Amino acid sequence: MRHLWSFLAGLVVAPVTWVLVTLGQDGSGRTVSRWVEIGTYSTPNLIEPAVYLGVAGILLGLLGTLRFSPLGPLVAGLLLAAPYVWLFVSPFSVRDRVPDDLKLLGDPLPLRDPLDNGTLFLIGVLLLMAVFSGQRWRRVPAPATTGAELTPAGTGAEQRPTPTDWPPPGPPKDPDTAPLTLAYPEPATEPLPRRTGGESPWSAPPRGANRADDPTERR
């Protein structure tokens, strides 16, 4: 698609450049000749032809330097250089085919002047040389990716500890082990043995334990 747009741009820029260069050269030449004739000058009279030439230069610069496609400069260069080359074959027939009595916005438009003085051939050769630029044929480089994107997802990168890293954590703690604390111990939740008769619950072990351990009772 970019080649199509570049081709269309070359078809449009070539005739537009011819017209702008004609207006700029004719206006600039007549203005300077008038200054020499009257012996004085007025610089505002040179603004209009300078604008024509400046716009033509911008169009040619965009077409010749942008890296869209080399097809546009190739087409525009051939269209501008071909009429001058044809002067070597049949100069009078070429000049007769170019109208020289046109006007644009009240200003004369002598399209033969850029052809006769070789300006069209100069511009055409410049555009043709832009086609042979090596950078124009290269594709636009893809944006650089970060190092994280270059690392495969399946294999993680080896991480080496640095002197400033903290040591790895120890084995996981037993959830049943109570954590160390500086506060008072919590009270026991199990009920204490009841006191029976005149005995103290801490004076002797429970009777149930003696019966289980006494071998005489097992008999």
Side-chain angles (χ1 to χ4, degrees), residues 69-119:
S69 171
L71 194 57
L74 178 63
V75 173
L78 291 176
L79 291 178
L80 293 175
Y84 188 84
V85 174
W86 196 253
L87 290 177
F88 291 90
V89 180
S90 180
F92 298 109
S93 61
V94 173
R95 296 186 80 256
D96 292 341
R97 291 177 180 275
V98 178
D100 197 45
D101 55 350
L102 301 178
K103 288 186 177 183
L104 182 63
L105 300 177
D107 296 331
L109 188 63
L111 294 177
R112 294 178 184 175
D113 290 351
L115 175 63
D116 295 341
N117 57 28
T119 303

Side-chain angles (χ1 to χ4, degrees), residues 92-188:
F92 298 109
S93 61
V94 173
R95 296 186 80 256
D96 292 341
R97 291 177 180 275
V98 178
D100 197 45
D101 55 350
L102 301 178
K103 288 186 177 183
L104 182 63
L105 300 177
D107 296 331
L109 188 63
L111 294 177
R112 294 178 184 175
D113 290 351
L115 175 63
D116 295 341
N117 57 28
T119 303
L120 295 182
F121 181 72
L122 174 63
I123 297 175
V125 172
L126 289 176
L127 290 177
L128 291 177
M129 291 303 299
V131 177
F132 298 97
S133 175
Q135 294 182 354
R136 181 177 295 275
W137 295 94
R138 298 175 184 173
R139 292 185 177 182
V140 180
T145 56
T146 59
E149 296 178 356
L150 295 178
T151 304
T155 59
E158 181 181 0
Q159 298 180 357
R160 296 182 178 179
T162 58
T164 56
D165 292 343
W166 290 95
K173 297 181 180 181
D174 188 1
D176 297 335
T177 304
L180 298 178
T181 178
L182 297 178
Y184 290 102
E186 298 181 358

